[in-house]
Amino acid sequence: MEPFTTLTAIAAPMPMQNIDTDKIIPARFLKTIKRSGLGIHLFDPMRFNKDGSENPDFVLNQEPYRKAEIIIAHENFGCGSSREHAPWALLDFGIRCIIAPDFADIFYNNSFKNGILPIRLPRAVCDQLIDDSKLGGNARVTVDLARQVVVRPNGEEIAFDIDPFRKHSLLNGLDDIGQTLQHDKSIDGFEARQRQNQSWMPSTTAA
Amino acid sequence: MSASRPRTLFDKIWDNHVVERLPDGTCILYIDRHLVHEVTSPQAFEGLRMAGRKLRRPDCTIAVADHNIPTVGSRIPADIKEEDSRIQVETLEKNVKEFGVPYIPILDKRQGIVHIIGPELGLSLPGTTIVCGDSHTSTHGALGALAFGIGTSEVEHVMATQTLLQNPAKNMQIDVSGTLGFGCSAKDIVLAIIGKITTAGGNGHVIEYTGDTIRALDIAGRCTVSNMSIEAGAKAGLIAPDQTTFDYLRGRDFAPKGEAFEQAVAYWKTLPSDAGAHYDTIVRLTTAEIAPMVTWGTTPGQVVPVTGVVPNPADETDEAKRAQLQRMVDYMALTPGQAMQDLVIDVVFIGSCTNGRIEDIRAAAAVAKGRHVAAGVQAMVVPGSGLVKFQAEQEGLDRILLEAGFEWRDPCCSMCLGMNPDKLTPGQRCASTSNRNFEGRQGPGGRTHLLSPAMAAAAAVTGRLTDVRQLV
Ligand code: SF4
């Protein structure tokens, strides 16, 4: 997993509540065998017209937001399915951070697992950041995870909360697997004990 | 934790697999067996590849394709007509080569539904931890293994580390006593249990099934019961290993052999719950509460004896529940008070990881013998594995079923979830031996009634839901 340290990027305003996983990536794209390549279907129902052409009114089809790496939204972002296709699609498009007043639980957890930083900030602050994001030109938002601040284009800093364990994982690019592999010695030890105490345990390559 | 505290079967397996307890109480739990199939593994393999990681223990892993395989015609992956299905199967075959995973090819006689072949091949052993990216992994608990379903991220986690991050579950005992009534089977036991405790009754628990009724079941019956633990909301189901288990496992392909088997049995005998072990929840049933059962609604908990009637949603006092029941009655096109035995059936499906074993096919054939599938009914029998199919053909069961007008197909998940071409069409009513009757599960708009193999065969020959006791 890619570490998340600081990010200075274009933020796309999406002032909507309940952006659910079906809006993020509709169920019909879930039969895929990949987690990469889903970015082209991100927000499909809003981003494309029925004939497949781009909907010019949708924010990610507009400059400079085509290159957005941050999304700013309203309440309950990511509600719906537990499947991980939603964070996979966001990440594949290039989104590394989402700022909203709150998130659906499973989506919130799944984001960390995939190296995306979800930040909870009060609605009024989100609205301020949404206004900032419309300044155009070189307006950039900076997210500094180590210092736990979001920096507005005018330099003002807004503090945010994050669980220390998750912060550590993101800063070091440790997904659950990376964390567990830090206990590699214990796993080796367990396997050695099992080989000794349960030598009857057959292998799946045996028959 | 003191070793002298009386422990349940679940406690013992758990304690024996904790690699490390993390400061927040989460445990790194060692996984002995990882069963892999084509639907939930591709992103996990891709994740390994993207991170440059290896599969830690190919020798604890085994793969098989089951969900997408056609039950008629060519079984060569390149011939699978549905593109999504074909790609999933071909991707699995590519991944197992790349990562060195033992694989049971589709044309191998031992291929079949992952939860059928685990016990059948002796891959599922007492006291082990078994996972698979599939909720019905609970099946393997019938052999006394701690077996549960996991998501794709966890599949990848097991591939890379042979462990999972887990928090302990609560212990639940479901005790069933008495002699099973005439015409009743393991399926009726588990449907009655879910009817009693509801589909949320097992939430947060691992269920251990105990009692003389459970002890009297053969391994096939125990698999049927354990399989549906997940439908009761439980994380897993368990049945303590006993002589029936040991006799079943002896000589199976992947089971320990010779001296190793005797060592294993000595260990397995230490596993049953200690006297005085603590269960957080205890439920008791007697066989007096179990008749040939059939579901009427769209969850497995909406179940009545076949002699019963469709309940009336108006009798429910809670408004939200009433609305939910009404929705089920409407979806299933039922009338409150209607006799279950008046319901006319379009399709009969005998198969799945719940009831696709040789014992199930024998039970169906016993009812079908000398009778004929009713006019207008399509009845299919889909063995759970190649070995089940072979055994049934050795016993001549295929001929009995074919002569009675049943279709005799090749092994796969088939109409259990309609990922392959076997699907209900909208409005069709199906008597099914599978485990889920959710809206659209067997095909969009399809209506599913869950029941035992003998009851399914009875429905096939009469064309309506029928009390099998009248036929045998
Ligand atoms: S038979 Fe049905 S429940 Fe069992 S693994 Fe296949 S799809 Fe799942």
Side-chain angles (χ1 to χ4, degrees), chain A residues 1 30-36 38 84-85 88 110 113-114 173 175-181 183-184 186-188 190-191 193-195 198-207, chain B residues 16-17 19-20 22 28 30 32-33 42-43 46-47 53 56-61 84 87-88 91 102 123 125 128 153 156-157 160-161 163 165 253-254 256 260 263-264 267-268:
Chain A
M1 196 172 81
L30 304 190
K31 275 195 167 178
T32 164
I33 53 157
K34 289 183 168 292
R35 65 173 80 200
S36 55
L38 290 171
E84 280 178 60
H85 296 71
W88 293 343
N110 281 342
K113 276 191 195 165
N114 289 282
D175 51 9
D176 280 359
I177 294 177
Q179 304 277 1
T180 301
L181 286 175
H183 301 269
D184 208 22
S186 304
I187 303 174
D188 289 345
F190 182 95
E191 287 176 335
R193 282 196 304 281
Q194 195 184 54
R195 263 195 303 277
Q198 294 180 17
S199 56
W200 50 265
M201 186 82 77
S203 147
T204 55
T205 49
Chain B
N16 199 26
H17 287 84
V19 172
E20 206 175 319
L22 303 178
I28 301 180
Y30 197 78
D32 297 320
R33 283 278 176 277
Q43 279 96 352
E46 193 197 15
R53 288 176 176 138
R56 184 181 174 101
R57 295 289 303 269
D59 60 322
C60 295
T61 314
D84 298 337
I87 290 175
Q88 285 191 338
T91 304
L123 284 159
L125 299 175
T128 60
S153 287
E156 185 183 338
H157 194 281
T161 70
T163 68
L165 297 172
D253 278 27
F254 289 86
Q263 283 170 14
Y267 171 64
W268 295 340

Side-chain angles (χ1 to χ4, degrees), chain A residues 45-94:
Chain A
M46 301 189 277
R47 192 164 145 211
F48 301 105
N49 297 313
K50 287 238 161 58
D51 63 4
S53 61
E54 280 188 2
N55 168 11
D57 296 333
F58 184 67
V59 61
L60 294 183
N61 290 331
Q62 298 164 359
E63 295 299 345
Y65 307 114
R66 283 178 185 279
K67 294 192 206 67
E69 292 172 67
I70 300 169
I71 287 175
I72 306 164
H74 282 169
E75 288 79 3
N76 202 24
F77 190 95
C79 54
S81 153
S82 64
R83 300 217 185 187
E84 280 178 60
H85 296 71
W88 293 343
L90 286 159
L91 192 66
D92 191 63
F93 181 89

Side-chain angles (χ1 to χ4, degrees), chain B residues 49-123:
Chain B
R49 204 177 285 124
M50 281 161 60
R53 288 176 176 138
K54 285 208 304 249
L55 184 75
R56 184 181 174 101
R57 295 289 303 269
D59 60 322
C60 295
T61 314
I62 194 159
V64 67
D66 52 9
H67 286 62
N68 285 289
I69 310 300
T71 54
V72 283
S74 166
R75 290 165 69 77
I76 296 168
D79 292 344
I80 299 174
K81 289 190 195 66
E82 297 72 22
E83 194 185 1
D84 298 337
S85 299
R86 188 177 65 245
I87 290 175
Q88 285 191 338
V89 174
E90 288 178 340
T91 304
L92 180 69
E93 298 205 325
K94 196 168 81 35
N95 283 330
V96 296
K97 266 203 204 98
E98 181 180 335
F99 288 90
V101 181
Y103 176 61
I104 300 177
I106 297 163
L107 297 177
D108 191 312
K109 197 165 90 177
R110 300 174 303 173
Q111 182 270 347
I113 304 170
V114 64
H115 309 310
I116 298 272
I117 70 175
E120 182 174 80
L121 297 179
L123 284 159

Side-chain angles (χ1 to χ4, degrees), chain B residues 75-347:
Chain B
R75 290 165 69 77
I76 296 168
D79 292 344
I80 299 174
K81 289 190 195 66
E82 297 72 22
E83 194 185 1
D84 298 337
S85 299
R86 188 177 65 245
I87 290 175
Q88 285 191 338
V89 174
E90 288 178 340
T91 304
L92 180 69
E93 298 205 325
K94 196 168 81 35
N95 283 330
V96 296
K97 266 203 204 98
E98 181 180 335
F99 288 90
V101 181
Y103 176 61
I104 300 177
I106 297 163
L107 297 177
D108 191 312
K109 197 165 90 177
R110 300 174 303 173
Q111 182 270 347
I113 304 170
V114 64
H115 309 310
I116 298 272
I117 70 175
E120 182 174 80
L121 297 179
L123 284 159
S124 316
L125 299 175
T128 60
T129 47
I130 304 177
V131 297
C132 174
D134 191 285
S135 54
H136 292 97
T137 308
S138 62
T139 312
H140 311 262
L143 285 300
L146 175 61
F148 52 93
I150 55 178
T152 295
S153 287
E154 294 177 307
V155 169
E156 185 183 338
H157 194 281
V158 176
M159 286 175 171
T161 70
Q162 203 57 34
T163 68
L164 276 175
L165 297 172
Q166 291 283 305
N167 290 299
K170 288 190 275 190
N171 278 289
M172 178 180 223
Q173 180 186 26
I174 297 186
D175 188 86
V176 191
S177 58
T179 306
L180 208 50
F182 174 65
C184 295
S185 71
K187 185 64 162 284
D188 303 301
I189 299 177
V190 71
L191 286 172
I193 289 172
I194 301 170
K196 179 161 177 148
I197 71 171
T198 80
T199 49
N203 282 359
H205 291 80
V206 166
I207 298 174
E208 182 181 344
Y209 301 94
T210 63
D212 57 317
T213 319
I214 301 293
R215 291 262 78 87
L217 292 175
D218 58 17
I219 294 297
R222 294 181 187 186
C223 284
T224 302
V225 172
S226 209
N227 172 276
M228 292 193 70
S229 306
I230 187 78
E231 308 309 329
K235 182 179 181 74
L238 276 170
I239 296 172
D242 58 11
Q243 198 57 45
T244 306
T245 320
F246 311 146
D247 293 344
Y248 175 88
L249 286 171
R250 191 185 300 275
R252 302 226 164 226
D253 278 27
F254 289 86
K257 301 277 160 21
E259 177 57 21
F261 189 80
E262 302 314 321
Q263 283 170 14
V265 169
Y267 171 64
W268 295 340
K269 285 184 173 167
T270 68
L271 291 169
S273 297
D274 300 328
H278 173 75
Y279 294 93
D280 301 275
T281 311
I282 298 176
V283 176
R284 293 186 198 285
L285 258 81
T286 70
T287 44
E289 299 168 69
I290 303 168
M293 309 296 283
V294 55
T295 63
W296 64 266
T298 53
T299 80
Q302 255 68 44
V303 64
V304 290
V306 65
T307 48
V309 301
V310 178
N312 190 347
D315 296 341
E316 172 61 52
T317 48
D318 180 272
E319 191 180 327
K321 280 193 196 144
R322 185 163 63 238
Q324 204 194 359
L325 293 179
Q326 187 60 50
R327 185 186 160 85
M328 289 185 192
V329 166
D330 293 343
Y331 180 85
M332 293 297 290
L334 303 171
T335 317
Q338 187 174 22
M340 292 305 291
Q341 296 197 70
D342 285 346
L343 292 173
V344 174
I345 293 297
D346 304 298
V347 178

Side-chain angles (χ1 to χ4, degrees), chain A residues 18-27 78-83 86-87 107:
Chain A
N18 305 317
I19 296 180
D20 61 49
T21 51
D22 265 336
K23 286 202 186 75
I24 298 171
I25 179 133
C79 54
S81 153
S82 64
R83 300 217 185 187
F107 178 84

